[in-house]
Amino acid sequence: MPEWPIIDSHVHLIDLDQFSYAWLARRPEIERSFGPADLTRLKGDVAIDRIVFVEACPDAHHAEGEAAFAQKAADDGAPIAGIVAQLDLRRDDVAARLDSLARLPALRGVRYLIEGAVDPTFCLEPAFLDGLRRVGQAGLSFDICVKHWALPIATEMARRVPETQFVLDHIGKPGIRLGLRDPWWTAISDIAQLPNVVCKMSGVLTEGHPGQATFEAARTYIDRTIEVFGFDRLMYGSDWPVSEVTHRYADWVAMLDHHLAACSLDERRAFWRDTANRVYRLESGQ
């Protein structure tokens, strides 16, 4: 296991008593509540220092309530050092909603899924780009979640808003299940050229075959991501509890720890702690 307690940059919490999540109907394996105590129980022998809570895609009317729920969990002792809240940047009241979210002490960023859109080019529309500029002006980051085929669109989005920090989730969701190299291979390099984009090594095994997720199938994509981003712009994430569909929490950590064994101490520390700490400002409290 890593030499230090790790920072997990991508953890979801699910509370079916308070919120509804339409997408869970497609994931019956995890269609239940998952709270901080479940992470403690299911993480195995991994030492976790802090986590970044990332919105779990509740139905839209629950967005602000979910963010407040995550803040309360942090206030009650959960190791949540940062919150990435759901925010639809196309809304007319986006400025007011940003102001409301900014009252949460742990807020560090926002996310709105591009992945599920029939036409992901909505993220290039003026209203959405204006919302992204507001996010940057508020000192927040925007998490990008797209499938590999829409990665060029996300790249253009980030290019048009250079003043905002972007965090690419799940290495752009390459087509691991089908063994697809392109267009992801070129697209991941293109987005890595933008200085305002960093990347999460998260949600990778779940892009493989259900029940057959193996590190070997993902290795090429993992190495390509390291090659183009480097460790100063790459951070560890679990994508828990979605990860429970294909593997245990400790399995992913152990696989990556073994794979990175030959890397320098500084590179490993950047991956497991420092990049997330810097990008999400987890120690500054600002």
Side-chain angles (χ1 to χ4, degrees):
M1 290 296 173
E3 293 94 324
W4 321 269
I6 66 174
I7 294 176
D8 188 336
S9 69
H10 204 95
V11 172
H12 306 292
L13 300 177
I14 295 172
D15 191 326
L16 291 177
D17 292 330
Q18 297 189 64
F19 312 118
S20 56
Y21 310 78
W23 64 272
L24 273 178
R26 302 188 299 274
R27 293 288 195 180
E29 310 96 323
I30 55 169
E31 195 173 7
R32 65 177 183 81
S33 294
F34 287 88
D38 296 296
L39 177 59
T40 299
R41 177 173 56 85
L42 294 172
K43 70 180 180 62
D45 58 357
V46 178
I48 299 176
D49 180 4
R50 288 162 290 163
I51 65 175
V52 176
F53 167 84
V54 178
E55 61 93 14
C57 306
D59 297 342
H61 60 288
H62 290 309
E64 289 194 36
E66 184 199 40
F69 154 75
Q71 182 63 59
K72 184 177 186 304
D75 295 342
D76 290 344
I80 298 173
I83 293 171
V84 176
Q86 182 187 128
L87 181 62
D88 185 350
L89 298 177
R90 299 172 297 181
R91 295 179 61 107
D92 293 336
D93 61 349
V94 66
R97 286 181 175 268
L98 260 178
D99 287 344
S100 177
L101 287 170
R103 298 188 183 102
L104 302 176
L107 186 73
R108 295 294 182 270
V110 298
R111 183 171 86 152
Y112 187 73
L113 284 192
I114 302 169
E115 170 189 353
V118 174
D119 180 7
T121 59
F122 78 82
C123 69
L124 300 179
E125 295 173 357
F128 199 86
L129 295 175
D130 286 345
L132 288 171
R133 293 186 186 97
R134 290 181 181 274
V135 169
Q137 291 163 1
L140 302 171
S141 60
F142 182 83
D143 268 46
I144 302 171
C145 190
V146 292
K147 291 283 191 180
H148 57 94
W149 55 269
L151 196 48
I153 298 169
T155 302
E156 181 59 27
M157 174 187 72
R159 182 180 290 116
R160 293 187 187 185
V161 193
E163 62 269 40
T164 297
Q165 173 72 69
F166 292 89
V167 183
L168 178 62
D169 295 344
H170 314 326
I171 69 171
K173 294 200 166 186
I176 299 173
R177 187 173 305 180
L178 299 176
L180 297 178
R181 175 184 169 108
D182 297 314
W184 178 88
W185 192 267
T186 300
I188 194 70
S189 178
D190 290 342
I191 198 169
Q193 301 306 308
L194 302 180
N196 59 329
V197 180
V198 299
C199 186
K200 290 181 183 178
M201 188 70 75
S202 59
V204 179
L205 296 187
T206 52
E207 294 305 305
H209 288 282
Q212 300 177 14
T214 66
F215 193 85
E216 286 305 314
R219 182 189 298 273
T220 299
Y221 305 91
I222 290 168
D223 287 343
R224 176 64 167 172
T225 304
I226 294 171
E227 175 191 359
V228 299
F229 274 101
F231 287 101
D232 286 340
R233 297 170 59 215
L234 191 61
M235 64 182 86
Y236 164 76
S238 66
D239 196 26
W240 185 89
V242 179
S243 56
E244 292 288 323
V245 173
T246 54
H247 59 280
R248 296 175 301 175
Y249 190 100
D251 292 343
W252 179 229
V253 174
M255 290 172 186
L256 288 170
D257 187 49
H258 177 74
H259 191 60
L260 303 179
C263 297
S264 72
L265 191 69
D266 287 345
E267 289 171 332
R268 297 199 307 274
R269 184 178 174 92
F271 177 76
W272 292 114
R273 293 183 58 85
D274 292 349
T275 302
N277 193 45
R278 183 186 75 252
V279 172
Y280 284 123
R281 310 178 326 278
L282 301 183
E283 290 183 346
S284 68
Q286 298 179 358

PDB file of all heavy atoms in Angstrom, residues 170-194:
ATOM      1  N   HIS A 170     -12.150  10.296 -14.492  1.00  0.00           N
ATOM      2  CA  HIS A 170     -12.141   8.947 -15.054  1.00  0.00           C
ATOM      3  C   HIS A 170     -11.344   8.826 -16.358  1.00  0.00           C
ATOM      4  O   HIS A 170     -11.712   8.066 -17.260  1.00  0.00           O
ATOM      5  CB  HIS A 170     -13.574   8.454 -15.278  1.00  0.00           C
ATOM      6  CG  HIS A 170     -14.499   8.706 -14.120  1.00  0.00           C
ATOM      7  ND1 HIS A 170     -14.067   8.670 -12.807  1.00  0.00           N
ATOM      8  CD2 HIS A 170     -15.817   9.008 -14.067  1.00  0.00           C
ATOM      9  CE1 HIS A 170     -15.092   8.935 -12.003  1.00  0.00           C
ATOM     10  NE2 HIS A 170     -16.164   9.148 -12.745  1.00  0.00           N
ATOM     11  N   ILE A 171     -10.284   9.616 -16.467  1.00  0.00           N
ATOM     12  CA  ILE A 171      -9.393   9.672 -17.632  1.00  0.00           C
ATOM     13  C   ILE A 171     -10.149   9.743 -18.961  1.00  0.00           C
ATOM     14  O   ILE A 171      -9.698   9.257 -19.990  1.00  0.00           O
ATOM     15  CB  ILE A 171      -8.334   8.548 -17.648  1.00  0.00           C
ATOM     16  CG1 ILE A 171      -8.936   7.157 -17.878  1.00  0.00           C
ATOM     17  CG2 ILE A 171      -7.527   8.546 -16.345  1.00  0.00           C
ATOM     18  CD1 ILE A 171      -7.866   6.069 -18.120  1.00  0.00           C
ATOM     19  N   GLY A 172     -11.327  10.398 -18.915  1.00  0.00           N
ATOM     20  CA  GLY A 172     -12.097  10.558 -20.156  1.00  0.00           C
ATOM     21  C   GLY A 172     -12.817   9.309 -20.609  1.00  0.00           C
ATOM     22  O   GLY A 172     -13.235   9.212 -21.771  1.00  0.00           O
ATOM     23  N   LYS A 173     -12.989   8.344 -19.720  1.00  0.00           N
ATOM     24  CA  LYS A 173     -13.761   7.126 -19.992  1.00  0.00           C
ATOM     25  C   LYS A 173     -13.436   6.473 -21.338  1.00  0.00           C
ATOM     26  O   LYS A 173     -14.283   6.438 -22.255  1.00  0.00           O
ATOM     27  CB  LYS A 173     -15.262   7.410 -19.877  1.00  0.00           C
ATOM     28  CG  LYS A 173     -15.696   7.752 -18.456  1.00  0.00           C
ATOM     29  CD  LYS A 173     -17.186   7.564 -18.257  1.00  0.00           C
ATOM     30  CE  LYS A 173     -17.530   7.563 -16.771  1.00  0.00           C
ATOM     31  NZ  LYS A 173     -18.947   7.252 -16.534  1.00  0.00           N
ATOM     32  N   PRO A 174     -12.227   5.958 -21.490  1.00  0.00           N
ATOM     33  CA  PRO A 174     -11.868   5.286 -22.750  1.00  0.00           C
ATOM     34  C   PRO A 174     -12.696   4.022 -22.977  1.00  0.00           C
ATOM     35  O   PRO A 174     -13.269   3.460 -22.038  1.00  0.00           O
ATOM     36  CB  PRO A 174     -10.390   4.949 -22.550  1.00  0.00           C
ATOM     37  CG  PRO A 174     -10.199   4.901 -21.068  1.00  0.00           C
ATOM     38  CD  PRO A 174     -11.141   5.913 -20.501  1.00  0.00           C
ATOM     39  N   GLY A 175     -12.732   3.576 -24.226  1.00  0.00           N
ATOM     40  CA  GLY A 175     -13.540   2.400 -24.589  1.00  0.00           C
ATOM     41  C   GLY A 175     -12.832   1.098 -24.269  1.00  0.00           C
ATOM     42  O   GLY A 175     -12.583   0.276 -25.174  1.00  0.00           O
ATOM     43  N   ILE A 176     -12.528   0.880 -22.995  1.00  0.00           N
ATOM     44  CA  ILE A 176     -11.770  -0.300 -22.577  1.00  0.00           C
ATOM     45  C   ILE A 176     -12.540  -1.580 -22.876  1.00  0.00           C
ATOM     46  O   ILE A 176     -11.967  -2.587 -23.316  1.00  0.00           O
ATOM     47  CB  ILE A 176     -11.419  -0.209 -21.077  1.00  0.00           C
ATOM     48  CG1 ILE A 176     -10.544   1.026 -20.818  1.00  0.00           C
ATOM     49  CG2 ILE A 176     -10.721  -1.482 -20.603  1.00  0.00           C
ATOM     50  CD1 ILE A 176     -10.275   1.299 -19.357  1.00  0.00           C
ATOM     51  N   ARG A 177     -13.836  -1.554 -22.673  1.00  0.00           N
ATOM     52  CA  ARG A 177     -14.651  -2.758 -22.860  1.00  0.00           C
ATOM     53  C   ARG A 177     -14.542  -3.300 -24.277  1.00  0.00           C
ATOM     54  O   ARG A 177     -14.534  -4.516 -24.491  1.00  0.00           O
ATOM     55  CB  ARG A 177     -16.103  -2.440 -22.509  1.00  0.00           C
ATOM     56  CG  ARG A 177     -17.018  -3.652 -22.497  1.00  0.00           C
ATOM     57  CD  ARG A 177     -18.391  -3.267 -21.979  1.00  0.00           C
ATOM     58  NE  ARG A 177     -18.298  -2.632 -20.657  1.00  0.00           N
ATOM     59  CZ  ARG A 177     -19.333  -2.200 -19.958  1.00  0.00           C
ATOM     60  NH1 ARG A 177     -20.556  -2.315 -20.448  1.00  0.00           N
ATOM     61  NH2 ARG A 177     -19.153  -1.640 -18.774  1.00  0.00           N
ATOM     62  N   LEU A 178     -14.430  -2.396 -25.246  1.00  0.00           N
ATOM     63  CA  LEU A 178     -14.331  -2.797 -26.655  1.00  0.00           C
ATOM     64  C   LEU A 178     -12.891  -2.801 -27.158  1.00  0.00           C
ATOM     65  O   LEU A 178     -12.643  -3.073 -28.341  1.00  0.00           O
ATOM     66  CB  LEU A 178     -15.182  -1.868 -27.520  1.00  0.00           C
ATOM     67  CG  LEU A 178     -16.687  -1.852 -27.215  1.00  0.00           C
ATOM     68  CD1 LEU A 178     -17.396  -0.823 -28.074  1.00  0.00           C
ATOM     69  CD2 LEU A 178     -17.281  -3.234 -27.420  1.00  0.00           C
ATOM     70  N   GLY A 179     -11.951  -2.479 -26.274  1.00  0.00           N
ATOM     71  CA  GLY A 179     -10.553  -2.433 -26.674  1.00  0.00           C
ATOM     72  C   GLY A 179     -10.256  -1.312 -27.652  1.00  0.00           C
ATOM     73  O   GLY A 179      -9.348  -1.422 -28.477  1.00  0.00           O
ATOM     74  N   LEU A 180     -11.002  -0.219 -27.556  1.00  0.00           N
ATOM     75  CA  LEU A 180     -10.847   0.892 -28.497  1.00  0.00           C
ATOM     76  C   LEU A 180      -9.671   1.775 -28.099  1.00  0.00           C
ATOM     77  O   LEU A 180      -9.582   2.231 -26.970  1.00  0.00           O
ATOM     78  CB  LEU A 180     -12.123   1.731 -28.542  1.00  0.00           C
ATOM     79  CG  LEU A 180     -13.391   1.048 -29.047  1.00  0.00           C
ATOM     80  CD1 LEU A 180     -14.565   2.006 -28.987  1.00  0.00           C
ATOM     81  CD2 LEU A 180     -13.188   0.524 -30.466  1.00  0.00           C
ATOM     82  N   ARG A 181      -8.804   2.028 -29.028  1.00  0.00           N
ATOM     83  CA  ARG A 181      -7.690   2.945 -28.811  1.00  0.00           C
ATOM     84  C   ARG A 181      -8.078   4.372 -29.217  1.00  0.00           C
ATOM     85  O   ARG A 181      -7.769   5.332 -28.517  1.00  0.00           O
ATOM     86  CB  ARG A 181      -6.481   2.467 -29.623  1.00  0.00           C
ATOM     87  CG  ARG A 181      -5.285   3.401 -29.591  1.00  0.00           C
ATOM     88  CD  ARG A 181      -4.200   2.852 -30.503  1.00  0.00           C
ATOM     89  NE  ARG A 181      -3.135   3.805 -30.735  1.00  0.00           N
ATOM     90  CZ  ARG A 181      -1.911   3.693 -30.225  1.00  0.00           C
ATOM     91  NH1 ARG A 181      -1.610   2.671 -29.441  1.00  0.00           N
ATOM     92  NH2 ARG A 181      -0.983   4.594 -30.501  1.00  0.00           N
ATOM     93  N   ASP A 182      -8.725   4.507 -30.341  1.00  0.00           N
ATOM     94  CA  ASP A 182      -9.108   5.813 -30.872  1.00  0.00           C
ATOM     95  C   ASP A 182     -10.617   6.018 -30.735  1.00  0.00           C
ATOM     96  O   ASP A 182     -11.376   5.054 -30.739  1.00  0.00           O
ATOM     97  CB  ASP A 182      -8.715   5.904 -32.347  1.00  0.00           C
ATOM     98  CG  ASP A 182      -7.211   5.800 -32.546  1.00  0.00           C
ATOM     99  OD1 ASP A 182      -6.494   6.488 -31.796  1.00  0.00           O
ATOM    100  OD2 ASP A 182      -6.781   5.024 -33.417  1.00  0.00           O
ATOM    101  N   PRO A 183     -11.066   7.270 -30.603  1.00  0.00           N
ATOM    102  CA  PRO A 183     -10.283   8.513 -30.692  1.00  0.00           C
ATOM    103  C   PRO A 183      -9.628   8.921 -29.383  1.00  0.00           C
ATOM    104  O   PRO A 183      -8.959   9.944 -29.338  1.00  0.00           O
ATOM    105  CB  PRO A 183     -11.349   9.540 -31.097  1.00  0.00           C
ATOM    106  CG  PRO A 183     -12.584   9.062 -30.388  1.00  0.00           C
ATOM    107  CD  PRO A 183     -12.514   7.546 -30.448  1.00  0.00           C
ATOM    108  N   TRP A 184      -9.832   8.114 -28.333  1.00  0.00           N
ATOM    109  CA  TRP A 184      -9.359   8.514 -27.011  1.00  0.00           C
ATOM    110  C   TRP A 184      -7.858   8.763 -26.990  1.00  0.00           C
ATOM    111  O   TRP A 184      -7.392   9.720 -26.362  1.00  0.00           O
ATOM    112  CB  TRP A 184      -9.723   7.433 -25.979  1.00  0.00           C
ATOM    113  CG  TRP A 184      -9.229   7.737 -24.608  1.00  0.00           C
ATOM    114  CD1 TRP A 184      -9.891   8.469 -23.644  1.00  0.00           C
ATOM    115  CD2 TRP A 184      -7.986   7.351 -24.026  1.00  0.00           C
ATOM    116  NE1 TRP A 184      -9.117   8.550 -22.508  1.00  0.00           N
ATOM    117  CE2 TRP A 184      -7.946   7.871 -22.715  1.00  0.00           C
ATOM    118  CE3 TRP A 184      -6.893   6.608 -24.489  1.00  0.00           C
ATOM    119  CZ2 TRP A 184      -6.862   7.673 -21.853  1.00  0.00           C
ATOM    120  CZ3 TRP A 184      -5.808   6.411 -23.637  1.00  0.00           C
ATOM    121  CH2 TRP A 184      -5.794   6.934 -22.349  1.00  0.00           C
ATOM    122  N   TRP A 185      -7.078   7.931 -27.677  1.00  0.00           N
ATOM    123  CA  TRP A 185      -5.617   7.998 -27.604  1.00  0.00           C
ATOM    124  C   TRP A 185      -5.084   9.384 -27.973  1.00  0.00           C
ATOM    125  O   TRP A 185      -4.221   9.934 -27.283  1.00  0.00           O
ATOM    126  CB  TRP A 185      -5.008   6.941 -28.519  1.00  0.00           C
ATOM    127  CG  TRP A 185      -3.541   6.726 -28.311  1.00  0.00           C
ATOM    128  CD1 TRP A 185      -2.512   7.333 -28.979  1.00  0.00           C
ATOM    129  CD2 TRP A 185      -2.941   5.837 -27.370  1.00  0.00           C
ATOM    130  NE1 TRP A 185      -1.302   6.877 -28.515  1.00  0.00           N
ATOM    131  CE2 TRP A 185      -1.539   5.945 -27.527  1.00  0.00           C
ATOM    132  CE3 TRP A 185      -3.442   4.945 -26.434  1.00  0.00           C
ATOM    133  CZ2 TRP A 185      -0.635   5.207 -26.770  1.00  0.00           C
ATOM    134  CZ3 TRP A 185      -2.549   4.206 -25.671  1.00  0.00           C
ATOM    135  CH2 TRP A 185      -1.168   4.333 -25.843  1.00  0.00           C
ATOM    136  N   THR A 186      -5.626   9.931 -29.032  1.00  0.00           N
ATOM    137  CA  THR A 186      -5.223  11.277 -29.452  1.00  0.00           C
ATOM    138  C   THR A 186      -5.906  12.346 -28.610  1.00  0.00           C
ATOM    139  O   THR A 186      -5.283  13.340 -28.219  1.00  0.00           O
ATOM    140  CB  THR A 186      -5.568  11.493 -30.934  1.00  0.00           C
ATOM    141  OG1 THR A 186      -4.866  10.526 -31.723  1.00  0.00           O
ATOM    142  CG2 THR A 186      -5.191  12.897 -31.393  1.00  0.00           C
ATOM    143  N   ALA A 187      -7.165  12.131 -28.288  1.00  0.00           N
ATOM    144  CA  ALA A 187      -7.942  13.140 -27.568  1.00  0.00           C
ATOM    145  C   ALA A 187      -7.401  13.385 -26.165  1.00  0.00           C
ATOM    146  O   ALA A 187      -7.400  14.522 -25.684  1.00  0.00           O
ATOM    147  CB  ALA A 187      -9.405  12.724 -27.504  1.00  0.00           C
ATOM    148  N   ILE A 188      -6.928  12.323 -25.490  1.00  0.00           N
ATOM    149  CA  ILE A 188      -6.406  12.515 -24.133  1.00  0.00           C
ATOM    150  C   ILE A 188      -5.128  13.334 -24.176  1.00  0.00           C
ATOM    151  O   ILE A 188      -4.842  14.131 -23.268  1.00  0.00           O
ATOM    152  CB  ILE A 188      -6.189  11.151 -23.415  1.00  0.00           C
ATOM    153  CG1 ILE A 188      -5.978  11.354 -21.911  1.00  0.00           C
ATOM    154  CG2 ILE A 188      -5.028  10.383 -24.009  1.00  0.00           C
ATOM    155  CD1 ILE A 188      -7.199  11.801 -21.167  1.00  0.00           C
ATOM    156  N   SER A 189      -4.338  13.178 -25.232  1.00  0.00           N
ATOM    157  CA  SER A 189      -3.140  13.989 -25.391  1.00  0.00           C
ATOM    158  C   SER A 189      -3.502  15.443 -25.684  1.00  0.00           C
ATOM    159  O   SER A 189      -2.868  16.371 -25.159  1.00  0.00           O
ATOM    160  CB  SER A 189      -2.272  13.430 -26.514  1.00  0.00           C
ATOM    161  OG  SER A 189      -1.127  14.230 -26.713  1.00  0.00           O
ATOM    162  N   ASP A 190      -4.523  15.642 -26.500  1.00  0.00           N
ATOM    163  CA  ASP A 190      -4.943  17.000 -26.850  1.00  0.00           C
ATOM    164  C   ASP A 190      -5.408  17.770 -25.621  1.00  0.00           C
ATOM    165  O   ASP A 190      -5.022  18.929 -25.417  1.00  0.00           O
ATOM    166  CB  ASP A 190      -6.061  16.961 -27.890  1.00  0.00           C
ATOM    167  CG  ASP A 190      -5.585  16.486 -29.254  1.00  0.00           C
ATOM    168  OD1 ASP A 190      -4.360  16.508 -29.488  1.00  0.00           O
ATOM    169  OD2 ASP A 190      -6.442  16.090 -30.074  1.00  0.00           O
ATOM    170  N   ILE A 191      -6.227  17.138 -24.783  1.00  0.00           N
ATOM    171  CA  ILE A 191      -6.739  17.864 -23.615  1.00  0.00           C
ATOM    172  C   ILE A 191      -5.630  18.086 -22.589  1.00  0.00           C
ATOM    173  O   ILE A 191      -5.621  19.086 -21.866  1.00  0.00           O
ATOM    174  CB  ILE A 191      -7.958  17.152 -22.992  1.00  0.00           C
ATOM    175  CG1 ILE A 191      -8.729  18.137 -22.099  1.00  0.00           C
ATOM    176  CG2 ILE A 191      -7.562  15.884 -22.239  1.00  0.00           C
ATOM    177  CD1 ILE A 191     -10.095  17.627 -21.652  1.00  0.00           C
ATOM    178  N   ALA A 192      -4.653  17.191 -22.559  1.00  0.00           N
ATOM    179  CA  ALA A 192      -3.539  17.340 -21.626  1.00  0.00           C
ATOM    180  C   ALA A 192      -2.640  18.517 -21.995  1.00  0.00           C
ATOM    181  O   ALA A 192      -1.863  18.983 -21.148  1.00  0.00           O
ATOM    182  CB  ALA A 192      -2.721  16.061 -21.567  1.00  0.00           C
ATOM    183  N   GLN A 193      -2.725  18.995 -23.232  1.00  0.00           N
ATOM    184  CA  GLN A 193      -1.930  20.144 -23.645  1.00  0.00           C
ATOM    185  C   GLN A 193      -2.432  21.446 -23.022  1.00  0.00           C
ATOM    186  O   GLN A 193      -1.710  22.448 -23.010  1.00  0.00           O
ATOM    187  CB  GLN A 193      -1.939  20.283 -25.171  1.00  0.00           C
ATOM    188  CG  GLN A 193      -1.395  19.086 -25.923  1.00  0.00           C
ATOM    189  CD  GLN A 193      -0.004  18.682 -25.480  1.00  0.00           C
ATOM    190  OE1 GLN A 193       0.900  19.519 -25.430  1.00  0.00           O
ATOM    191  NE2 GLN A 193       0.162  17.415 -25.139  1.00  0.00           N
ATOM    192  N   LEU A 194      -3.653  21.430 -22.515  1.00  0.00           N
ATOM    193  CA  LEU A 194      -4.233  22.638 -21.924  1.00  0.00           C
ATOM    194  C   LEU A 194      -3.766  22.776 -20.478  1.00  0.00           C
ATOM    195  O   LEU A 194      -4.004  21.889 -19.665  1.00  0.00           O
ATOM    196  CB  LEU A 194      -5.757  22.577 -21.982  1.00  0.00           C
ATOM    197  CG  LEU A 194      -6.370  22.421 -23.379  1.00  0.00           C
ATOM    198  CD1 LEU A 194      -7.892  22.371 -23.282  1.00  0.00           C
ATOM    199  CD2 LEU A 194      -5.936  23.559 -24.291  1.00  0.00           C
TER     200      LEU A 194
END
